[in-house]
């Protein structure tokens, strides 16, 4: 089976390509390298194509039979999306529309879509399930929700099968530390904690310690990137027997505060985390924790990393010896 991984040079996409190649799939990676890394593409060819380039996209699908698409191409920084909303709607919505049209033209009818917990907006329950109200509070979340709506319409009109996977906080790196998280600039908590441990850049900034949580810092649900990859493969298989557009949350179901993440990182690394307390970051809800029981029940998802220490350990191995 030949799977096209769009955005396969990025963080989650590159772990996906490695996972699928190890599982015996034929993989091609499409990426415009705007934020991805050529060095992260090690298990397939790299098609350097922008989803906004319809002609190039058409050539990709004309070149060979593609059985299914996994789609990770996106701008994904919440703060940036507020300042540059058009970039988000163009890349994430128009780019995906072009991809869907090319798939339709070439008879490719299966898509696994990288969605996000940001489609929910402010949480109204302790463990957010898929029925939670969808009320994104920033253009990034809205752009992903718009795609989910397109997928529902495409299912009804054209018979497209799709699974949208709404990640909570993707974290960690491949066990062999060949690839890992490498954003520039880095905005995510765990890499920033580890970079401050390593003395790379300034001390960690804790964005707000006056939230209504036990220690005043924000609580998030961290899920290992290889557990996300496992869920994508299961989603692909799910479409063998399920028509229509489906959506599943992917999270561990456990919440950790920023200070708890720091203390687990101190245990794993044996070093202290230099930090300072900074003002709250705009758009951060106090608590975001998933209910992933639908993914466990219907996809048969069984995350292997059930402990934050193991997730941070894998990230630490990558950060001490980063290859890109
Ligand atoms: N955070 C922080 N310092 C950082 C990066 C993140 O205090 O350098 C906090 C952030 O405010 C949020 C949590 O850590 O409460 C997780 O943020 P991240 O950007 O990793 O993921 P998000 O939840 O925004 O998707």
């Amino acid at each position: 089976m030949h799977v096209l991984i769009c955005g396969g040079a990025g963080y989650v996409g590159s772990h996906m390509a490695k996972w699928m190649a190890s599982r015996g799939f034929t993989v091609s990676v499409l990426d415009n390298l705007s934020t991805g890394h050529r060095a992260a593409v090690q298990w397939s060819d790299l098609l350097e194509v922008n989803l906004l380039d319809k002609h190039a996209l058409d050539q990709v699908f004309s070149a060979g039979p593609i059985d299914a698409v996994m789609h990770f191409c996106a701008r994904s920084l919440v703060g940036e999306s507020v300042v540059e909303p058009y970039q988000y709607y163009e890349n994430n919505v128009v780019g995906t529309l072009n991809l869907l049209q090319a798939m339709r033209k070439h008879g490719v009818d299966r898509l696994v879509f990288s969605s996000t917990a940001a489609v929910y907006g402010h949480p109204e329950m302790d463990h957010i399930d898929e029925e939670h109200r969808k009320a994104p509070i920033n253009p990034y979340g809205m752009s992903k929700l718009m795609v989910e709506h397109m997928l529902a319409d495409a299912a009804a009109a054209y018979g497209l099968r799709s699974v949208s996977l709404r990640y909570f906080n993707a974290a960690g790196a491949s066990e062999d530390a060949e690839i890992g998280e490498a954003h520039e600039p880095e905005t995510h908590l765990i890499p920033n904690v580890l970079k401050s441990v390593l003395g790379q850049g300034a001390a960690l900034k804790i964005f707000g310690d006056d939230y209504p949580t036990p220690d005043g810092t924000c609580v998030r649900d961290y899920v290992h990137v290889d557990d996300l990859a496992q869920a994508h493969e299961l989603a692909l298989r799910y479409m063998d027997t399920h028509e229509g557009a489906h959506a599943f949350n992917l999270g561990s179901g456990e919440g950790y505060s920023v200070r708890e993440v720091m203390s687990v990182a101190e245990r794993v690394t044996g070093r202290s985390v230099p930090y300072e307390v900074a003002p709250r970051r705009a758009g951060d809800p106090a608590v975001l924790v998933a209910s992933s029981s639908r993914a466990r029940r219907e996809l048969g998802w069984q995350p292997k990393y059930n402990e934050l220490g193991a997730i941070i350990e894998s990230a630490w191995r990558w950060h001490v010896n980063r290859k890109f």
Side-chain angles (χ1 to χ4, degrees), residues 61 66-69 100 102-110 160:
F61 283 92
I66 290 168
D67 301 299
V69 175
L100 295 177
M103 288 173 64
R104 178 161 183 248
K105 178 175 172 196
H106 293 273
V108 182
D109 66 352
R110 281 159 206 231
L160 178 73

Side-chain angles (χ1 to χ4, degrees), residues 6 51 69-74 91-93 95-97 99-100 110-116 119 140-151 160-167 232 235-236 239 246-248 250:
C6 299
L51 292 185
V69 175
M70 291 180 168
H71 176 30
F72 301 87
C73 297
N91 274 278
N92 299 2
V93 182
T96 303
L97 179 59
L99 175 64
L100 295 177
R110 281 159 206 231
L111 177 77
V112 185
F113 174 60
S114 170
S115 190
T116 170
V119 299
Y140 167 62
M142 185 58 83
S143 71
K144 292 284 183 173
L145 184 60
M146 287 166 79
V147 170
E148 289 198 20
H149 284 296
M150 292 201 300
L151 296 177
L160 178 73
R161 296 183 183 209
S162 68
V163 175
S164 294
L165 297 175
R166 299 175 185 148
Y167 319 150
H232 286 70
L236 193 61
M239 290 186 287
H246 306 270
F248 299 94
L250 299 178

Side-chain angles (χ1 to χ4, degrees), residues 169 187-190 192 204-207 218 220 222 258 281 284-285 288:
N169 289 61
T187 63
H188 294 114
L189 178 63
I190 291 176
N192 279 348
L204 176 79
K205 284 191 167 58
I206 297 179
F207 294 136
C218 286
R220 293 289 180 276
Y222 297 90
V258 172
R281 193 171 68 174
D284 274 345
L288 272 180

Side-chain angles (χ1 to χ4, degrees), residues 43-321:
W43 299 275
S44 69
D45 52 336
L46 170 63
L47 309 166
E48 233 179 293
V49 168
N50 190 322
L51 292 185
L52 298 175
D53 183 346
K54 286 182 147 192
H55 177 67
L57 204 47
D58 189 55
Q59 286 180 325
V60 168
F61 283 92
S62 299
I66 290 168
D67 301 299
V69 175
M70 291 180 168
H71 176 30
F72 301 87
C73 297
R75 309 286 299 224
S76 63
L77 298 179
V78 166
E80 186 183 66
S81 79
V82 176
V83 181
E84 295 284 357
Y86 286 173
Q87 278 193 21
Y88 277 69
Y89 291 118
E90 183 170 65
N91 274 278
N92 299 2
V93 182
V94 178
T96 303
L97 179 59
N98 290 346
L99 175 64
L100 295 177
Q101 287 177 320
M103 288 173 64
R104 178 161 183 248
K105 178 175 172 196
H106 293 273
V108 182
D109 66 352
R110 281 159 206 231
L111 177 77
V112 185
F113 174 60
S114 170
S115 190
T116 170
V119 299
Y120 296 114
H122 287 299
E124 295 167 359
M125 50 178 79
D126 286 347
H127 286 77
I128 298 172
D129 67 23
E130 290 83 355
E131 302 314 317
H132 185 286
R133 192 158 66 99
K134 316 299 179 296
I137 54 172
N138 52 63
Y140 167 62
M142 185 58 83
S143 71
K144 292 284 183 173
L145 184 60
M146 287 166 79
V147 170
E148 289 198 20
H149 284 296
M150 292 201 300
L151 296 177
D153 292 340
Y158 311 126
L160 178 73
R161 296 183 183 209
S162 68
V163 175
S164 294
L165 297 175
R166 299 175 185 148
Y167 319 150
F168 281 65
N169 289 61
S174 76
E175 272 303 304
D176 58 13
E178 282 295 312
I179 50 175
E181 191 166 5
H183 298 115
E184 195 52 56
E186 188 52 76
T187 63
H188 294 114
L189 178 63
I190 291 176
N192 279 348
V193 165
L194 298 178
K195 284 170 82 169
S196 88
V197 166
L198 288 167
Q200 298 170 352
L204 176 79
K205 284 191 167 58
I206 297 179
F207 294 136
D209 67 352
D210 56 351
Y211 283 95
T213 59
D215 66 17
T217 64
C218 286
V219 170
R220 293 289 180 276
D221 179 334
Y222 297 90
V223 53
H224 194 277
V225 64
D226 280 342
D227 284 331
L228 296 181
Q230 181 207 139
H232 286 70
E233 184 193 348
L234 292 166
L236 193 61
R237 299 187 190 282
Y238 185 81
M239 290 186 287
D240 287 343
T241 49
H242 293 79
E243 297 180 342
H246 306 270
F248 299 94
N249 287 342
L250 299 178
S252 68
E254 295 286 333
Y256 292 91
S257 72
V258 172
R259 284 195 186 276
E260 284 172 327
V261 168
M262 290 165 61
S263 91
V264 174
E266 291 187 335
R267 173 167 60 74
V268 165
T269 63
R271 306 190 202 178
S272 62
V273 179
Y275 75 93
E276 60 189 66
V277 176
R280 290 184 178 194
R281 193 171 68 174
D284 274 345
V287 180
L288 272 180
V289 181
S291 160
S292 299
S293 44
R294 184 187 284 180
R296 289 169 190 266
R297 190 178 61 242
E298 292 190 32
L299 297 179
W301 186 47
Q302 292 184 314
K304 298 280 180 291
Y305 291 80
N306 294 309
E307 210 241 315
L308 183 62
I311 295 177
I312 293 182
E313 256 171 52
S314 73
W316 177 237
R317 279 196 296 276
W318 159 251
H319 278 280
V320 291
N321 191 17

